[in-house]
Amino acid sequence: MLAPTGTIAFLMDCDTTGVEPDIALVKYKLLAGGGMLKIVNRTVPEALRRLQYNAQEIDKIIAHIEKFDTIEDVEEAAKRFKAV
């Protein structure tokens, strides 16, 4: 491996920066110049396609994951807590 492996893997459009399996829905990449990049695991849309979700459904699910970092129904849970 050549250093810095994280940067090289990122430039090569890899999902991970090492040999470990990628199990997170969302990853955060600290940028050398400052700031952070948020990336939704690229296997999620492929898995949804294999489960026969249509393109519009996949886009909505990915947008939800990007916003809340989870596939759970965050908005409904928040409404329930406000009602209590």
Side-chain angles (χ1 to χ4, degrees):
M1 293 205 191
L2 300 171
T5 56
T7 301
I8 292 169
F10 184 68
L11 290 172
M12 294 177 65
D13 203 24
C14 296
D15 279 336
T16 65
T17 58
V19 295
E20 301 85 12
D22 187 11
I23 58 172
L25 283 176
V26 177
K27 296 175 283 227
Y28 293 91
K29 172 76 174 154
L30 292 173
L31 303 175
M36 190 179 303
L37 182 63
K38 182 176 177 178
I39 306 167
V40 174
N41 188 326
R42 292 182 311 153
T43 58
V44 172
E46 176 60 28
L48 293 171
R49 275 191 287 281
R50 288 179 183 232
L51 292 170
Q52 300 181 346
Y53 283 83
N54 65 44
Q56 187 177 31
E57 292 169 321
I58 292 171
D59 290 344
K60 285 177 138 180
I61 293 169
I62 297 302
H64 183 86
I65 293 171
E66 286 174 347
K67 183 174 181 180
F68 298 107
D69 293 353
T70 182
I71 57 172
E72 295 177 11
D73 192 1
V74 175
E75 293 173 306
E76 274 302 312
K79 287 177 190 174
R80 281 196 300 265
F81 286 119
K82 287 179 184 176
V84 173

